[in-house]
Amino acid sequence: MAVRRAALIALIALGAGSLAFDLSLGARLPSDQDWAEAAGALRGAGRAGDAVQIWPPWAERARLFVDAMPVLAEERLDDADFMGVQRLWMLSLPRTPFFRDPGAALRARGAVPAEGRRFGALLLQGWDLRLPEVAADLTRASEEHEVDYVARRCVRVAVGGRFVARGSAGAALHVRAGVIGERAYDAGRPEIVVLVSADGLGLGSLRVPRTERDGTGWRRLDVALPAGASEREFQFSVSSPDAGRPFCLQAWTTR
Amino acid sequence: MDHAVTDKALARWMGFGTAAAMALTQGPVGFVRDEGYYFTAAQSYEAWLRLLLHAPLAAVAQTERFWSYNFEHPGLTKLLFALSHGIFTTWLGWLPDTLAWRLPAFAFAGLLSYWLCLLGMSRSRAAGVLAPLLFWCAARTFFHGHLACFDIPICAMWAGVGVAWLEAVRLGTRRSGLWLAAMYGAALAVKHNAWVLPPVLLVHALLQPKQLRKTELLRIPWLLLSPLVLFLAWPLLWHDPGRHLRDWVAFHTHHVHYAWWYFGQVLRAPPFPVIYPLALDALVLPLPTVALLAAAGVSLLAGFARRRLDSQRLMELGLAGAALLPFLTTTTPVFGGIKHWLGFAALLTPEAAALLARVAPAPRQLAAVSLAVLAPGLWQIAHVHPYGTSAYGELAGGIPGAATLGLQRQYWSNNVTAVLPWLNAHCPRGAPVYFHEVNVESYRAYVASGLLRADIRYAPSPAQADYAALQWHREFRDREPETWNAFGTHRPAAGLYLDEVPQVVVYARPGLPGAP
């Protein structure tokens, strides 16, 4: 009898709790007005070198409203490059289920927060990323391609071909590369290798194996540049026994 | 006897009510990718039926020509779609094309309710009413009840074969044996899932006490007649049946693995997580339903371990387990949400309903607890329908929680219906639109049904389109940057966002009507 009564109460509580969750979910989500006000604030405060990062990264409804600066949907804030971004506006939905505060990852990489502002269910917070200044955007991509499920500003380079660019050397060279789209996961494919040189001097190589686990497909190489000319010719030679996959490359130098 | 008749009448009403509910709510349900193929198949089969009426010998001679399309699925449901369309649209002109094709699916949904009600009714009248309600009060199951596909039909036949088996054992008559053969034959003629049913019945028989075991084993041979139904309902087999049967089997034993997003990883190939189907059921169904189905599973397993299951409960356990088992092997394709093992949840509902009725024996208590248990599912339907493939339950944190957890956003492309009115209102005459996952068959169905303007053209890529309706899929993330590059804008023009989560995003080339 007691067990039956306990089960009855538990079921009613479970049903009522579930319904309460369902009915209250809408109140934890932003309205059109919240989005419009946040977009208006960004319009007022934005300056060159700003970008908006949405959080969680699925909150892409922001693209309907935010028109003052690029909208980024990086999935890993701890190692996203944010190339060329000086101030990052974190536009988040902190009351959504399983929300993880993005602040910890940004602080860990040395970013410094400014005061946050709430627009209904949205939180907008500026972050000074304190990234080294970009000396040269070597790839200067006008297009974007998806690699590892994030839109990357990178140039397509045919496997077997090379990409050459001239630019300020700065102190360090940063190379990123990966296979576009689902072909990155093609089983049994050989790795793709990018040989990197500046003014004929080999700087290293970036190996891009077949992606086996999501989140590992956008490969990175960061090298300190040896002393030399302030402007150099950088060459990126891409090779693999399998030339059939679409390959994307991004490179820049920092001071 | 009177009471039994009344019980059956109640079950029939549950069935009619279910079919009517599906018919009344099907309007906004988009045409899923597979329906596009089955509509095309039904058109071909209807042409064959017309030939059969006018020139039977020619029709028999030309089965290959009309029935080769969609050879990978047997004929019964598609034949019913064709018959329904032939009668209600072509002949009588009463129904629009797509509603006529879907009509038999509603009948199967009704049959499922009927059989679940009968199984529940053997415990109590309340359990009989609650069993189908527990199954249908969820956005995912409710959604599948509308489609001219095979998932609800095979789920219904799963229950139907169970009921027919119990009747054949109980009555022991030739008629009941023939009915069992017909039911299993119909299941075979609906979908290949039915291949696993004979072993379930055999094991059921072997697990019975000696006398009953013999009775049940003597029922098994009736199943030898079942392939006749498959043969009759699938004219493709009338010529060169060996080759067509081999093709059918080979298609499913070598089925492609479609990408599927699961806890932040895209599953592309085996081995899949062994817990996958159970986890998915728990994540997509309303939490009280999950709890009750879990309790039902534990109750049946505990009864089995203690050897206290009667024949019917043992049958329900066997059928539920058999629906799930292939997906626990870690090698069976896992795409399609929970639709491939709907029989698992369905066959647990009679026990779940009985448990619910047991904790609340007083009518008012039962009404209160039933309302509490069913209300989240009813809300889910009201909130999400007709976008059932996007639905997630409370355990997943609803649709936003599921997006954060990295779970499949949607599938089958039917959510595109949300943006068709926008396209109709804004696209210039003859505008090419990239519909992404919407296949050309479904596109034609949208045009034929009047949901999409006939002049709007189907573009094969964003580069060849002026508008794009992108369905958010993890494995197709490259389509959005591709569209940005082609259109020169990052700003969508419109979209379907469920609880803020993008499902379908519409882009327009700058300067065109509707572009931001």
Side-chain angles (χ1 to χ4, degrees):
Chain A
M1 184 70 176
V3 173
R4 190 170 58 74
R5 192 165 181 79
L8 178 67
I9 292 168
L11 272 174
I12 291 175
L14 190 64
S18 298
L19 192 61
F21 169 83
D22 296 335
L23 296 176
S24 66
L25 185 58
R28 285 178 273 153
L29 301 172
S31 64
D32 280 5
Q33 189 183 338
D34 297 340
W35 282 114
E37 287 177 6
L42 285 166
R43 225 172 278 131
R47 59 182 187 229
D50 282 10
V52 177
Q53 165 71 38
I54 47 177
W55 197 257
W58 52 257
E60 292 181 280
R61 206 159 86 87
R63 296 188 193 281
L64 284 169
F65 298 88
V66 177
D67 54 4
M69 57 190 73
V71 177
L72 307 177
E74 293 282 355
E75 298 191 339
R76 296 178 56 183
L77 299 178
D78 53 347
D79 69 353
D81 288 311
F82 297 119
M83 198 273 285
V85 178
Q86 288 153 14
R87 187 169 55 164
L88 187 71
W89 293 95
M90 183 62 63
L91 185 55
S92 60
L93 285 70
R95 290 156 69 192
T96 50
F98 307 119
F99 181 82
R100 280 166 297 167
D101 179 15
L106 290 172
R107 279 193 189 88
R109 56 183 289 161
V112 179
E115 191 77 8
R117 285 179 69 188
R118 282 196 176 271
F119 300 92
L122 289 171
L123 175 64
L124 180 67
Q125 186 166 34
W127 287 79
D128 179 357
L129 289 179
R130 309 236 162 142
L131 294 174
E133 187 187 346
V134 173
D137 177 3
L138 298 172
T139 36
R140 286 190 287 274
S142 59
E143 295 196 337
E144 290 181 59
H145 298 281
E146 177 263 311
V147 180
D148 217 3
Y149 303 117
V150 174
R152 320 276 183 182
R153 196 162 278 284
C154 55
V155 290
R156 281 187 71 155
V157 182
V159 176
R162 61 184 186 160
F163 179 83
V164 181
R166 194 162 184 84
S168 294
L173 170 69
H174 311 276
V175 186
R176 305 288 181 264
V179 173
I180 298 169
E182 286 295 290
R183 299 292 309 277
Y185 300 87
D186 283 358
R189 299 289 173 164
E191 69 178 9
I192 297 172
V193 179
V194 184
L195 291 175
V196 184
S197 64
D199 287 344
L201 176 69
L203 295 175
S205 63
L206 176 60
R207 296 180 178 279
V208 183
R210 174 217 170 206
T211 307
E212 290 191 9
R213 194 164 173 77
D214 298 359
T216 62
W218 186 236
R219 295 279 164 163
R220 47 200 302 152
L221 172 71
D222 299 289
V223 288
L225 286 168
S230 61
E231 190 172 300
R232 300 179 209 180
E233 184 175 88
F234 294 88
Q235 181 168 305
F236 306 88
S237 301
V238 182
S239 63
S240 172
D242 169 37
R245 288 165 290 170
F247 189 73
C248 217
L249 179 82
Q250 184 182 26
W252 71 100
T253 56
T254 50
R255 299 193 195 283
Chain B
M1 188 63 187
D2 283 351
H3 195 257
V5 170
T6 315
D7 280 353
K8 281 214 164 184
L10 180 60
R12 275 196 292 273
W13 277 112
M14 293 297 292
F16 286 132
T18 303
M22 297 304 160
L24 291 172
T25 53
Q26 69 86 36
V29 177
F31 307 125
V32 302
R33 284 178 66 83
D34 288 13
E35 273 187 310
Y37 303 127
Y38 307 150
F39 290 165
T40 304
Q43 286 170 287
S44 177
Y45 304 172
E46 187 185 333
W48 178 82
L49 286 170
R50 280 199 299 272
L51 183 65
L52 186 69
L53 275 178
H54 297 111
L57 290 177
V60 170
Q62 295 183 53
T63 54
E64 287 274 344
R65 187 183 140 208
F66 292 93
W67 284 81
S68 292
Y69 185 81
N70 200 243
F71 70 93
E72 64 268 29
H73 290 295
L76 181 59
T77 37
K78 290 173 288 179
L79 182 61
L80 293 173
F81 302 156
L83 269 172
S84 171
H85 186 271
I87 294 168
F88 295 110
T89 303
T90 309
W91 181 33
L92 297 172
W94 287 355
L95 296 179
D97 296 310
T98 51
L99 180 55
W101 283 320
R102 281 178 167 174
L103 211 55
F106 308 152
F108 276 108
L111 280 171
L112 176 59
S113 282
Y114 173 74
W115 283 317
L116 291 181
C117 185
L118 287 185
L119 290 170
M121 207 85 81
S122 71
R123 279 107 158 167
S124 70
R125 182 162 270 228
V129 173
L130 284 169
L133 288 177
L134 280 172
F135 180 79
W136 290 114
C137 283
R140 295 253 183 171
T141 52
F142 186 69
F143 171 79
H144 285 293
H146 295 85
L147 307 178
C149 291
F150 312 133
D151 303 299
I152 287 296
I154 190 61
C155 180
M157 295 314 301
W158 214 254
V161 168
V163 171
W165 169 257
L166 294 169
E167 282 291 283
V169 170
R170 187 174 66 85
L171 299 173
T173 59
R174 182 180 296 181
R175 191 174 165 178
S176 65
L178 280 170
W179 180 243
L180 170 65
M183 290 298 284
Y184 179 59
L188 266 180
V190 166
K191 204 176 177 198
H192 62 282
N193 301 43
W195 297 344
V196 305
L197 285 174
V200 176
L201 303 183
L202 180 62
V203 171
H204 185 265
L206 292 174
L207 288 174
Q208 298 297 346
K210 192 174 176 184
Q211 189 53 41
L212 187 54
R213 185 187 313 154
K214 188 180 168 193
T215 306
E216 290 204 3
L217 286 172
L218 287 172
R219 303 281 95 193
I220 296 273
W222 284 107
L223 300 180
L224 295 172
L225 295 176
S226 299
L228 278 176
V229 180
L230 173 71
F231 184 80
L232 288 173
W234 198 6
L236 184 64
L237 300 181
W238 295 358
H239 300 287
D240 204 355
R243 177 168 65 86
H244 294 305
L245 286 171
R246 275 196 304 278
D247 290 347
W248 180 37
V249 172
F251 183 90
H252 296 288
T253 50
H254 299 91
H255 200 290
V256 65
H257 293 283
Y258 297 117
W260 202 258
W261 203 27
Y262 178 70
F263 284 109
Q265 292 291 313
V266 177
L267 306 178
R268 295 181 179 81
F272 303 115
V274 67
I275 198 76
Y276 174 82
L278 288 169
L280 209 59
D281 270 346
L283 290 164
V284 306
L285 295 174
L287 185 53
T289 307
V290 173
L292 267 175
L293 293 180
V298 169
S299 168
L300 289 173
L301 284 171
F304 179 71
R306 293 177 193 157
R307 295 174 180 271
R308 283 188 192 166
L309 289 188
D310 61 24
S311 182
Q312 180 185 320
R313 291 174 76 216
L314 181 63
M315 168 59 57
E316 289 167 8
L317 177 64
L319 289 174
L324 190 73
L325 191 62
F327 302 94
L328 297 172
T329 62
T330 75
T331 55
T332 304
V334 294
F335 62 89
I338 63 169
K339 75 188 183 79
H340 291 144
W341 58 86
L342 284 169
F344 171 66
L347 268 296
L348 289 179
T349 57
E351 181 76 2
L355 291 175
L356 188 59
R358 200 182 304 162
V359 300
R364 287 177 66 176
Q365 280 182 339
L366 183 60
V369 74
S370 299
L371 186 65
V373 164
L374 296 174
L378 290 169
W379 164 256
Q380 197 186 43
I381 291 169
H383 186 55
V384 178
H385 186 72
Y387 313 117
T389 69
S390 303
Y392 280 92
E394 294 80 10
L395 203 58
I399 296 170
T404 298
L405 292 174
L407 297 169
Q408 183 80 14
R409 191 89 40 104
Q410 63 187 326
Y411 58 94
W412 261 356
S413 83
N414 54 289
N415 289 356
V416 79
T417 50
V419 302
L420 297 182
W422 189 95
L423 291 169
N424 288 332
H426 292 89
C427 287
R429 187 158 185 79
V433 177
Y434 176 58
F435 284 100
H436 190 194
E437 268 286 272
V438 179
N439 58 20
V440 74
E441 289 84 356
S442 296
Y443 157 80
R444 287 186 192 126
Y446 288 125
V447 170
S449 63
L451 288 169
L452 183 67
R453 271 172 30 206
D455 64 285
I456 290 176
R457 291 184 290 132
Y458 187 88
S461 71
Q464 294 165 270
D466 286 342
Y467 294 82
L470 305 177
Q471 284 99 68
W472 202 103
H473 276 242
R474 183 70 166 174
E475 72 276 20
F476 299 138
R477 290 302 286 141
D478 52 337
R479 297 297 187 277
E480 196 161 19
E482 194 182 335
T483 305
W484 298 341
N485 297 337
F487 287 14
T489 180
H490 287 69
R491 285 196 73 192
L496 169 66
Y497 300 85
L498 295 177
D499 290 338
E500 286 298 315
V501 179
Q503 308 288 328
V504 184
V505 183
V506 176
Y507 285 92
R509 284 189 187 270
L512 288 179

